[in-house]
């Protein structure tokens, strides 16, 4: 694989997150394994329609995953720093601008209502702390939107960890929610930094190094071991020569709306599809598409696992692997490219 430039990787990450969300959203309510052929057929249908000029720009809609990714990225770029009240306001106002169409998580709306009532002043972390009788949410919502964080603080692990944690606490204060966001950020950062190597990236080494790094840097000790256990399952599957079935992945790792399942599922999708030959139906696709089609196909929360797998894969493979037709078709496609470039410019400065 030719090494993608850092700008291409930034753009691959952010546009990837949007693409995975848009592709997975088509199947979001099916709650079952989607055959690869069905995902591929839908993907190709959009490519064909764009080619025939039968689809308007931005007409494949995204969901809450991309809403919140954009909310966070725009605030970081606009303020050139993390401003908790501003991010909280963006999250909430975007929600109230379209509450029904974006398929937000079942409970997070209560946070937005409280934030609005507070007029985004005072302790903006309080509503999230009060979720689920005070234990906080462990939904995957703070991990699904975290991709701007490793771009904003690229090459600075302590700052990536701190900001992943802080932005999580605006909606998800449960240790599993926070650590899920940290782990997803670390996976993206590691993918951004991967050098081209003879024979390609070693998925087992990537995962082992990620576990070690997560153990070393995570500041939230409660429930920390849950993710270590999940990454251990991933390594076992990566080592196996037998093809693992979707049912087994879902029973062992899981892939639902909780952070402790969705984040490991996304990392697994990226690593498991690095070898083009592993899944015969996907061999003809580039690595980025293999990861996303696989993630959408096996996962229960397919827009979110698709989006997170695509953010990691995009950070590794770069933006050129994403079909141009889909950049055109995705709502927010061009905006994702522009925001990634702005984050890249901030990084250079
Ligand atoms: O995490 P969140 O923003 O939802 C994101 C998901 C993604 O799949 C999006 O694509 C969208 O479809 O929703 O929203 P939350 O409401 O905080 O969490 C989502 C769900 O996780 C909740 O509705 C609960 O079902 C579950 N959950 C919990 N259940 C019990 N106890 C989260 N935390 C808890 C908990 O502490
Ligand atoms: Mg969604
Ligand atoms: Mg989802």
């Amino acid at each position: 694989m030719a090494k993608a430039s850092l700008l291409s990787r930034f753009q691959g990450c952010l546009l990837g997150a949007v693409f995975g969300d848009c592709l997975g959203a088509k199947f979001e309510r099916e709650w079952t394994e989607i055959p690869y052929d069905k995902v591929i057929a839908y993907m190709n249908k959009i490519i064909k329609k764009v080619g025939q000029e039968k689809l308007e720009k931005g007409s494949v809609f995204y969901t809450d995953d991309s809403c919140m990714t954009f909310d966070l990225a725009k605030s970081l770029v606009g303020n050139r720093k993390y401003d908790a009240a501003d991010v909280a306001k963006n999250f909430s106002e975007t929600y109230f601008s379209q509450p029904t169409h974006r398929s937000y998580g079942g409970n997070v709306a209560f946070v937005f209502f409280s934030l609005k009532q507070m007029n985004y002043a005072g302790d903006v972390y309080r509503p999230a702390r009060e979720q689920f009788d005070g234990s906080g949410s462990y939904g995957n919502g703070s991990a699904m939107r975290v991709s701007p964080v490793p771009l904003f603080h690229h090459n600075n692990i302590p700052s990536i960890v701190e900001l992943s944690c802080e932005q999580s606490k605006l909606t998800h204060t449960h240790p599993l929610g926070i650590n899920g966001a940290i782990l997803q950020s670390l996976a993206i950062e590691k993918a951004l930094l991967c050098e081209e190597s003879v024979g390609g990236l070693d998925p087992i080494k990537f995962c082992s190094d990620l576990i070690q790094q997560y153990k070393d840097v995570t500041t939230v000790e409660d429930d920390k071991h849950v993710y270590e256990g999940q990454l251990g399952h991933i390594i076992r599957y990566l080592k196996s020569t037998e093809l693992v079935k979707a049912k087994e992945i879902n029973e062992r790792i899981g892939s639902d709306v909780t952070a402790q399942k969705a984040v490991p599922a996304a990392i697994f999708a990226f690593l498991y599809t690095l070898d083009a030959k592993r899944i015969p139906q996907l061999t003809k696709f580039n690595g980025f598409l293999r990861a996303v089609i696989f993630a959408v196909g096996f996962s229960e929360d397919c827009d979110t696992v698709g989006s997170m797998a695509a953010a990691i894969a995009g950070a590794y493979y770069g933006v050129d692997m994403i079909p141009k037709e889909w950049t055109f078709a995705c709502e927010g496609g061009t905006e994702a490219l522009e925001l990634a470039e702005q984050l890249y410019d901030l990084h250079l400065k």
Side-chain angles (χ1 to χ4, degrees):
M1 184 190 114
K3 189 176 185 309
S5 71
L6 190 60
L7 172 59
S8 170
R9 288 169 173 230
F10 271 45
Q11 291 184 315
C13 176
L14 224 52
L15 179 61
V18 176
F19 168 73
D21 181 21
C22 288
L23 185 72
K26 167 80 179 165
F27 309 100
E28 194 181 359
R29 297 280 164 228
E30 300 197 12
W31 302 119
T32 164
E33 182 188 348
I34 320 286
Y36 301 126
D37 288 350
K38 209 169 153 184
V39 183
I40 293 164
Y42 174 61
M43 191 178 80
N44 286 338
K45 187 174 115 185
I46 298 294
I47 291 175
K48 194 169 164 200
K49 275 191 174 180
V50 172
Q52 294 170 335
E53 298 185 4
K54 286 183 179 165
L55 202 80
E56 280 183 36
K57 187 170 164 50
S59 56
V60 179
F61 294 133
Y62 57 62
T63 75
D64 58 333
D65 306 60
S66 302
C67 289
M68 300 187 93
T69 302
F70 281 127
D71 291 336
L72 180 56
K74 281 183 198 165
S75 182
L76 292 173
V77 166
N79 296 304
R80 296 179 171 222
K81 63 173 183 162
Y82 172 66
D83 177 337
D86 189 60
V87 177
K89 188 174 180 190
N90 279 1
F91 285 164
S92 191
E93 289 196 339
T94 301
Y95 171 79
F96 285 111
S97 68
Q98 285 169 318
T100 50
H101 303 312
R102 301 299 192 181
S103 305
Y104 278 86
N107 291 66
V108 73
F110 295 111
V111 175
F112 303 141
F113 278 102
S114 298
L115 285 169
K116 192 178 181 190
Q117 259 178 353
M118 295 160 62
N119 201 21
Y120 316 107
D123 180 5
V124 289
Y125 296 101
R126 182 184 52 76
R129 281 198 306 271
E130 292 173 352
Q131 290 284 80
F132 295 95
D133 296 323
S135 60
S137 174
Y138 52 63
N140 57 29
S142 69
M144 73 186 183
R145 64 177 184 238
V146 85
S147 45
V149 172
L151 308 187
F152 188 68
H153 281 311
H154 181 52
N155 280 334
N156 186 340
I157 294 289
S159 294
I160 288 174
V161 172
E162 189 187 350
L163 182 50
S164 301
C165 175
E166 290 303 299
Q167 68 80 34
S168 178
K169 287 185 334 199
L170 288 170
T171 51
H172 295 68
T173 63
H174 194 288
L176 288 170
I178 297 174
N179 279 334
I182 292 173
L183 182 60
Q184 172 68 7
S185 274
L186 292 176
I188 291 172
E189 174 70 359
K190 191 168 278 304
L192 285 172
L193 289 169
C194 277
E195 293 292 333
E196 184 185 6
S197 58
V198 180
L201 178 65
D202 177 349
I204 296 172
K205 183 171 181 338
F206 184 103
C207 198
S208 314
D209 291 350
L210 184 62
I211 298 180
Q212 194 53 51
Q213 185 179 45
Y214 165 79
K215 281 164 75 170
D216 291 345
V217 302
T218 292
T219 44
V220 182
E221 288 299 324
D222 288 351
D223 292 331
K224 187 174 165 181
H225 65 281
V226 173
Y227 288 100
E228 292 168 36
Q230 289 283 61
L231 294 176
H233 293 319
I234 295 176
I235 290 190
R236 277 191 287 283
Y237 285 131
L238 291 172
K239 283 183 177 166
S240 167
T241 47
E242 269 180 48
L243 201 59
V244 56
K245 294 199 168 56
K247 186 169 178 289
E248 194 183 335
I249 308 167
N250 281 308
E251 281 169 5
R252 185 58 58 90
I253 299 173
S255 60
D256 67 12
V257 76
T258 63
Q260 60 268 36
K261 293 182 179 171
V263 173
I267 294 168
F268 176 66
F270 166 62
L271 295 177
Y272 200 63
T273 52
L274 275 167
D275 178 355
K277 297 199 194 83
R278 177 103 70 174
I279 302 171
Q281 298 103 302
L282 302 183
T283 300
K284 64 179 176 201
F285 296 98
N286 70 43
F288 172 83
L289 290 176
R290 287 198 301 274
V292 189
I293 297 166
F294 178 67
V296 169
F298 85 80
S299 57
E300 281 179 43
D301 188 354
C302 48
D303 63 329
T304 303
V305 178
S307 176
M308 291 194 293
I312 304 167
Y316 176 63
Y317 294 107
V319 74
D320 291 343
M321 299 270 185
I322 304 176
K324 296 278 173 290
E325 295 87 346
W326 267 89
T327 310
F328 178 86
C330 283
E331 180 184 13
T334 310
E335 199 180 2
L337 292 177
E338 288 166 2
L339 274 167
E341 192 168 353
Q342 287 164 345
L343 285 161
Y344 178 74
D345 288 343
L346 284 178
H347 166 70
L348 292 184
K349 282 176 193 148

